[in-house]
Amino acid sequence: MATYADEMKKFFESNSRTRDVQAHTAKVHSVAWSCDGRRLASGSFDKTVCIYMLDKDRLTKDYTVFRGHGASVDQLCWNPRNPDQLATASGDKTVRIWDARTNKAAATVNTKGENINICWSPDGSTIAVGNKDDLVTFIDVKTHRSKAEEQFKFEVNEISWNNDGDLFFLTSGHGSVHIFSYPELKTLHVLNAHPANCICIEFDPMGQYFAIGSADALVSLWNLPELVCMRTFARLEWPVRTLSFSNDGKMLASASEDLIIDIGEVETGERLHQITCDSPTFTVAWHPKRHLLAYACDDRRDRDAGIVRVFGFPSDT
């Protein structure tokens, strides 16, 4: 009987085509799928956001461009409950909420610093944004106003709620992950996860695990709620910049300055596939319903500037 690893290795053998869209004029910092999987968004150093439609086995070239930010769009995220609503964090000291139906900004929220990280609460009610000064601001989606702020005295990297929305996690420059109750924001646990900077964090769709990417080039997989490290993925050689779980929670993609994207099986740690890249990869995102992986690489060569890629299309199309 074929194992999951056997099935997926076979799947990637026949579904290894990558589709490219040249959308931006500079480096793409962030890619993310809407919750229904119909749209893919990208944010770039060129201050714009692009939206693409997925049509069966291709990304439409007729993409929509959102303009308005006065600086680089560093990270973006979709409302997990509304496939038409998107939020972006920018160095221009604003968070913008966009309506993909009208192709306009529904709101511009002024913040206190240059924003670098953003996430949406699972119930869709709150957006959290972190800035370069390690201040995390919680924004009410309905009123577009800040409802809480938390200033930290250490380097804050990525931020995220757990799937139930009652815990708030942040990765730190000390190699630890800080876990808070939400909405009280009381410290519950400080997880000493890595000997080096913890850069990124991702929760699997099933709510069983979360993964941490570190500057020590390792990815650690932890279970909830025991907070026990189940295994590490050690196939990358550079600091792990980005992580994404597949829709079934069984695969984990990780990327860095290595010229590969590693796809490993969550339960065993076994490599299922690797995507070869020409330059470092700083953002990856699995489709919420299909085995399609969106990603974007650094633009070290002019011809690669601003390209968004999606891997996993049938090889013979």
Side-chain angles (χ1 to χ4, degrees):
M1 184 176 177
T3 64
Y4 179 82
D6 293 335
E7 292 175 0
M8 292 316 303
K9 287 177 183 178
K10 188 175 181 180
F11 173 84
F12 289 129
E13 283 179 7
S14 55
N15 294 270
S16 60
R17 176 161 291 199
T18 299
R19 304 287 192 190
D20 296 353
V21 179
Q22 175 82 53
H24 297 278
T25 58
K27 178 181 175 181
V28 177
H29 285 152
S30 183
V31 294
W33 295 97
S34 58
C35 60
D36 62 0
R38 292 179 60 241
R39 295 185 181 97
L40 175 68
S42 60
S44 169
F45 182 77
D46 68 7
K47 309 176 187 178
T48 69
V49 179
C50 289
I51 307 290
Y52 326 85
M53 299 296 292
L54 179 65
D55 180 19
K56 294 183 180 178
D57 288 332
R58 66 186 182 90
L59 275 182
T60 176
K61 298 285 186 181
D62 298 324
Y63 53 85
T64 302
V65 181
F66 294 165
R67 291 183 172 88
H69 276 300
S72 170
V73 179
D74 281 345
Q75 199 170 49
L76 52 80
C77 59
W78 291 87
N79 186 331
R81 297 292 184 90
N82 182 345
D84 299 319
Q85 207 169 42
L86 174 76
T88 52
S90 171
D92 65 4
K93 300 184 180 181
T94 70
V95 167
R96 289 180 184 245
I97 302 172
W98 307 86
D99 188 330
R101 294 166 303 179
T102 63
N103 300 330
K104 294 180 180 179
T108 299
V109 182
N110 293 314
T111 57
K112 291 184 177 179
E114 296 178 42
N115 302 308
I116 51 175
N117 288 305
I118 193 167
C119 63
W120 213 304
S121 65
D123 64 3
S125 69
T126 308
I127 294 169
V129 59
N131 69 22
K132 289 184 177 180
D133 299 318
D134 306 313
L135 175 73
V136 177
T137 302
F138 295 87
I139 298 167
D140 187 296
V141 173
K142 287 186 178 178
T143 65
H144 307 142
R145 294 181 182 276
S146 169
K147 60 182 183 180
E149 290 180 350
E150 198 73 25
Q151 177 68 59
F152 296 95
K153 295 180 180 179
F154 52 83
E155 179 185 320
V156 174
N157 293 317
E158 274 201 344
I159 53 180
S160 180
W161 277 272
N162 65 334
N163 294 17
D164 292 332
D166 60 350
L167 298 174
F168 190 75
F169 289 64
L170 56 85
T171 59
S172 85
H174 296 153
S176 56
V177 175
H178 294 247
I179 305 170
F180 304 89
S181 61
Y182 188 82
E184 301 84 7
L185 293 177
K186 301 296 184 185
T187 300
L188 298 179
H189 199 80
V190 179
L191 192 65
N192 293 313
H194 288 265
N197 192 341
C198 288
I199 297 172
C200 48
I201 185 168
E202 184 80 7
F203 286 80
D204 90 273
M206 307 298 142
Q208 186 177 3
Y209 300 116
F210 63 95
I212 301 166
S214 170
D216 62 11
L218 294 175
V219 176
S220 57
L221 181 77
W222 301 76
N223 72 340
L224 282 167
E226 290 86 2
L227 301 179
V228 173
C229 182
M230 306 301 291
R231 65 189 50 85
T232 58
F233 298 76
R235 287 184 288 268
L236 299 176
E237 297 181 0
W238 291 85
V240 181
R241 299 289 181 181
T242 178
L243 299 165
S244 183
F245 282 96
S246 58
N247 63 308
D248 57 9
K250 294 182 178 181
M251 293 186 289
L252 179 63
S254 52
S256 65
E257 292 179 55
D258 292 74
L259 301 183
I260 61 165
I261 299 171
D262 183 76
I263 299 175
E265 184 178 13
V266 169
E267 287 299 330
T268 64
E270 181 179 352
R271 172 180 280 167
L272 301 179
H273 193 75
Q274 71 175 31
I275 303 169
T276 303
C277 307
D278 292 330
S279 50
T281 304
F282 295 133
T283 178
V284 296
W286 281 109
H287 189 276
K289 297 179 180 179
R290 299 171 60 184
H291 293 321
L292 295 172
L293 185 72
Y295 65 99
C297 298
D298 199 354
D299 47 5
R300 289 197 170 171
R301 296 181 299 176
D302 289 342
R303 67 184 181 84
D304 289 334
I307 294 178
V308 172
R309 295 180 163 93
V310 179
F311 164 82
F313 291 114
S315 306
D316 56 354
T317 58

